[in-house]
Amino acid sequence: MISDISPSEKVTLASRLVRVLEHPAVSVAVPLVIVTITFFVLHTLSVKVSWSAVRGDVAASSLGTIALALTATAVSFLALSCYDLLSVRSLAKDQVPPHVAAFAGGAGTAISNLLGFSYLTGTAVRYRIYTSLGVEPVRVAGIMATSWSAFWLGLSVILGVLLVAHPKGLAAVLPVDGALEVALGALILLCLSGLCIWLARGARSVTLAGVRTPLPSGQLALSLMAVAVLDLLGAAMTLYVLAPPDLTQNFVYFFVIFVSAIVLGILSHSPGGLGVFEATLIAGLGAGGRSDMLAALLLYRVIYSVLPFVVAVVALAVAWLITQRSAIARTSGLLYRLIRPLVPVAAAGVALLAGSILLISGNLPGNAERFDLLRDIIPLSFIEASHLAGSVAGLLLIVVARGLYRKLYRAWVIAMGLMVVGLTASLIKGLDWEEALGMLFTLVLLGSFRSAFYRVEATSVFRLNTAWIVSVLALMAAIFWIGLFAYSHVEYRDALWWKFAMHADASRFLRASLVVALILLGITLNSILYRKTPRRAAREIPEVVRQLIAESGESEAQIDLLGDKDFLISPDNRAYLAYCDTGGSLIAKGEPVGDETAGKALIWQLREKADKAGKRCAFYAVSPKYLASFLDLGLSILKIGEVARVKLDGFTMDGPNKKKLRAARSRATRDGYDLVIVPKAELAQVIDQLRDVSDRWMESKQGEEKGFSLGNFNEEYLSNFDHAVLRHRETGQIAAFANLLQGANRHEISVDLMRYDPTGPKIAMDALFVELMVWAADQGFHWFCLGAAPFSGIENRQLSSLWNRIGGFIYDYGDHFYHFEGLRSFKEKFDPVWTPNYLASPRGLAAPRILYEVNLLVSGGFKGLIRTKDHHD
């Protein structure tokens, strides 16, 4: 039984379940299974329908019906604007103007609906808009949660009213009694009424993961429900008025099927739920073999998805061009800050739409009359080649959409070129002037956004992540089905592959589909097999960096001699900044070394370098010195622990806290061990002994050698330092050693690589520390740096930030994995001065990702982080 499982076993089981659900195979398999099943259903239900019949039904649609559908769409998008308008009024009234919230809800959803990816829909777009206006991520999350809750509340209201008002709705098609249907609807409405009364009786809030989010008032909840009702009814009525009347007489059932189709479309990851949405409705309404239903679904796509997108993108392009005319508007204007987050999504949508049009056009039969006009003008080989080129260009435009979303300049250049290819191919393959005008229109739209694409990245724009792979595969499946549907009347035979004729549309479709599939397979395999990992290869350290390190009083700067970092150096050689490229982020180790003014310029330079590469920028383990600059960069400041420094002026080993340390020192002396300082010039004489100690120490530990912020046993690195060695005075056996990081002018001294022989005396490391500290004080050093205590000193209170609560939880309960409290207690024995240690990272959910990448740089992964036997390393 579950109750018999221990808490630790429950945590283990839960973590395994999370890993299974997050595994790429699962995240790919679930949507692809949905897509496969629904397309099989769609193909089965439409096998008796011809493309010519669908075209005829579309042409026969009345203007009055189209006008009603357009009106219903307008109502739905007006309600979508009000979602955010009301949610912002509750949570961020003073930070977001009402018209901005309305724009974010309406235009943002219109643009992202075309992409339809569940990870790029309105939530991501609205998040970008609100955070660009300075709204805290927690508040943005509250706005999103309020909007989503309103959606489900509105859905419940509609279902409750429909079940009560039409007791024979579901009962007509499902084994549900009419009385039970009414009772269920009444129960839903009663619960909703109780919720509104509860909210109206006072201020309410909900706390999740330690974050308190206020709930809307009763009046606001009612308003949100009304808006959701308008949204859902508007969306449903758009299709309802277009669908054949004999299939939509039972509105209750129609609405249930409509909502189910939307949900399945989201789960499929197909852009806009294409194919999955249609299959669900056809199957649910029993519309198999009905060309008029397919025509209604086609018109619904154009009216509810494509048309709002085109309107929003055109308005966005005009606004973007206006902002580019003024330097002030371009840098600080509200209009610029408002539309900037939408531009990459809009551009990705433009490319996706253009690519889909090219592919769909290539999969449909051409106009026979236009082919006859081309017969005497263009050779058949040109027509065949242009048909293939148009389909390939369509596929590549869909793939490049991800690069546009990430603001990559190369993606923009490639997309512009592909659209020119598509425009030319549209004319040559069959005089498709309507399609060519569409390509010209999208070319102008994308060209107007030129200034938004400035990022440069080394990786290929044709590599996709897992989510995009799934979405592209789902979209391509839908487009391929359209071709199968268009040529369902053509009996398959092998000769089709080799038939080259002016009217051989089915043959061209088969050949183009095969080439597109092979290219997509290559892109998918290349994307899956390619994994960029943080580089740890040795790099040459510039002489100016060595000089600046030698002149720095901060001992921590000498970690940069590891040779695993890249460097930004100021033009006047007065400062440098060390950083690593993880593939997704540029992470600086500490702050600039050298002149402070030059250092501030380097901080901005790294931020701009990361932005141009489409990567995150973060500064790990920094002091309060440059916090103002990090805030100017728009980064958030998170405390990740404290650094302990011992003042050596007047240092003494007296005091009760140092009793055990004095005992360790005395024990080492009695056992015949002395502290010996080995100059770096003499390191070669003892390096073999040090390596033996290091190897035995590593064998007793878990994990691998470190990097980035911690040193490792590398002779080239260690040759830069003097070494403190605890050596037996008679046998010469080394029990422990550490390399010495000595700041300029004896300002500070520290140790980096600290290792001892596990078979030697247990007090070796304590004795080494004590002897070294006494020696450093005698040498005139002012400070001894004991290093950082992770997550130490973080206030974990009820009103603390979410990050502080997480950090406090790790410090309190993470001792099994890393001895946080023991590490601080050991350093506390020396009565140090504690100074805060910070992480400067992008806002929102970037901090956990940055910390994970830092762990990769330091330890190579979670396994390398764990230390269970020693807490002084």
Side-chain angles (χ1 to χ4, degrees), residues 513-560:
S513 297
L514 177 61
V515 172
V516 166
L518 291 175
I519 294 175
L520 182 58
L521 177 62
I523 292 173
T524 302
L525 291 176
N526 184 47
S527 301
I528 293 174
L529 296 177
Y530 177 83
R531 291 291 184 267
K532 186 169 183 178
T533 56
R535 297 179 297 162
R536 296 186 66 167
R539 269 152 281 178
E540 183 178 353
I541 300 173
E543 191 59 37
V544 63
V545 170
R546 293 184 181 273
Q547 183 63 32
L548 288 169
I549 291 175
E551 296 172 355
S552 174
E554 304 296 329
S555 60
E556 186 73 12
Q558 297 179 42
I559 295 290
D560 296 336

Side-chain angles (χ1 to χ4, degrees), residues 644-648 651-658 661-662 773 783-784 786 824-834:
R645 289 181 173 85
V646 179
K647 191 172 181 61
L648 295 180
F651 175 78
T652 175
M653 285 299 299
D654 297 334
N657 286 348
K658 301 171 184 174
L661 296 175
R662 291 195 301 271
M773 206 165 292
W783 293 93
F784 191 104
L786 292 170
R824 181 183 174 89
S825 297
F826 172 78
K827 297 178 180 181
E828 194 67 54
K829 297 176 184 178
F830 296 94
D831 298 324
V833 176
W834 293 96

Side-chain angles (χ1 to χ4, degrees), residues 409-689:
Y409 174 71
R410 285 188 296 119
W412 180 84
V413 172
I414 293 172
M416 293 290 285
L418 290 172
M419 286 185 182
V420 171
V421 172
L423 188 155
T424 306
S426 299
L427 294 174
I428 297 177
K429 72 179 181 180
L431 287 180
D432 291 332
W433 59 268
E434 302 94 341
E435 181 182 322
L437 283 178
M439 288 296 105
L440 180 61
F441 176 68
T442 55
L443 193 65
V444 172
L445 275 178
L446 193 59
S448 66
F449 294 134
R450 160 65 187 89
S451 57
F453 302 95
Y454 55 89
R455 288 178 171 172
V456 180
E457 190 176 270
T459 56
S460 171
V461 296
F462 296 108
R463 290 196 180 101
L464 304 175
N465 60 17
T466 302
W468 278 83
I469 289 174
V470 173
S471 299
V472 171
L473 289 175
L475 177 60
M476 295 306 298
I479 293 174
F480 179 67
W481 175 84
I482 292 174
L484 291 178
F485 167 72
Y487 300 107
S488 57
H489 63 285
V490 178
E491 183 179 354
Y492 174 79
R493 57 187 184 278
D494 293 341
L496 286 174
W497 291 96
W498 321 115
K499 184 178 180 181
F500 296 91
M502 189 62 70
H503 298 289
D505 294 310
S507 297
R508 281 190 282 271
F509 157 67
L510 287 176
R511 287 190 291 269
S513 297
L514 177 61
V515 172
V516 166
L518 291 175
I519 294 175
L520 182 58
L521 177 62
I523 292 173
T524 302
L525 291 176
N526 184 47
S527 301
I528 293 174
L529 296 177
Y530 177 83
R531 291 291 184 267
K532 186 169 183 178
T533 56
R535 297 179 297 162
R536 296 186 66 167
R539 269 152 281 178
E540 183 178 353
I541 300 173
E543 191 59 37
V544 63
V545 170
R546 293 184 181 273
Q547 183 63 32
L548 288 169
I549 291 175
E551 296 172 355
S552 174
E554 304 296 329
S555 60
E556 186 73 12
Q558 297 179 42
I559 295 290
D560 296 336
L561 295 173
L562 271 170
D564 61 349
K565 303 176 185 68
D566 293 308
F567 299 97
L568 288 179
I569 302 173
S570 64
D572 56 6
N573 291 337
R574 296 174 60 192
Y576 79 86
L577 182 64
Y579 70 95
C580 281
D581 186 349
T582 67
S585 307
L586 300 184
I587 303 178
K589 168 57 185 77
E591 50 212 16
V593 175
D595 179 73
E596 184 172 348
T597 301
K600 291 179 179 179
L602 289 176
I603 289 174
W604 276 101
Q605 186 178 342
L606 185 67
R607 177 72 175 85
E608 292 163 356
K609 180 181 179 68
D611 185 60
K612 288 182 179 179
K615 299 177 182 180
R616 294 173 291 270
C617 178
F619 298 81
Y620 174 73
V622 296
S623 70
K625 182 177 180 181
Y626 288 95
L627 289 191
S629 296
F630 297 140
L631 290 173
D632 289 341
L633 261 62
L635 303 177
S636 62
I637 307 299
L638 305 174
K639 189 174 182 181
I640 57 175
E642 293 180 306
V643 176
R645 289 181 173 85
V646 179
K647 191 172 181 61
L648 295 180
D649 298 334
F651 175 78
T652 175
M653 285 299 299
D654 297 334
N657 286 348
K658 301 171 184 174
K659 181 179 179 180
K660 291 184 177 180
L661 296 175
R662 291 195 301 271
R665 184 187 187 191
S666 299
R667 174 67 182 276
T669 302
R670 290 196 307 270
D671 291 347
Y673 287 95
D674 296 322
L675 175 69
V676 178
I677 303 300
V678 180
K680 58 184 177 183
E682 301 175 10
L683 182 63
Q685 301 175 16
V686 297
I687 192 66
D688 291 336
Q689 289 178 277

Side-chain angles (χ1 to χ4, degrees), residues 183 266 268 342 510 523 581 639 688 703 736 739-740 796:
I266 293 174
S268 71
L342 291 176
L510 287 176
I523 292 173
D581 186 349
K639 189 174 182 181
D688 291 336
N739 62 322
L740 302 181
N796 183 9

Side-chain angles (χ1 to χ4, degrees), residues 331-393:
T331 56
S332 60
L334 175 62
L335 180 61
Y336 175 75
R337 285 187 292 153
L338 180 60
I339 65 177
R340 182 182 59 181
L342 291 176
V343 168
V345 185
V350 168
L352 188 77
L353 180 61
S356 299
I357 290 174
L358 285 173
L359 284 166
I360 292 173
S361 173
N363 289 355
L364 294 177
N367 187 295
E369 295 179 358
R370 296 179 183 180
F371 270 129
D372 291 336
L373 291 175
L374 287 173
R375 185 189 303 273
D376 300 326
I377 303 174
I378 299 176
L380 178 61
S381 58
F382 277 60
I383 295 175
E384 294 283 353
S386 62
H387 186 281
L388 184 60
S391 296
V392 172

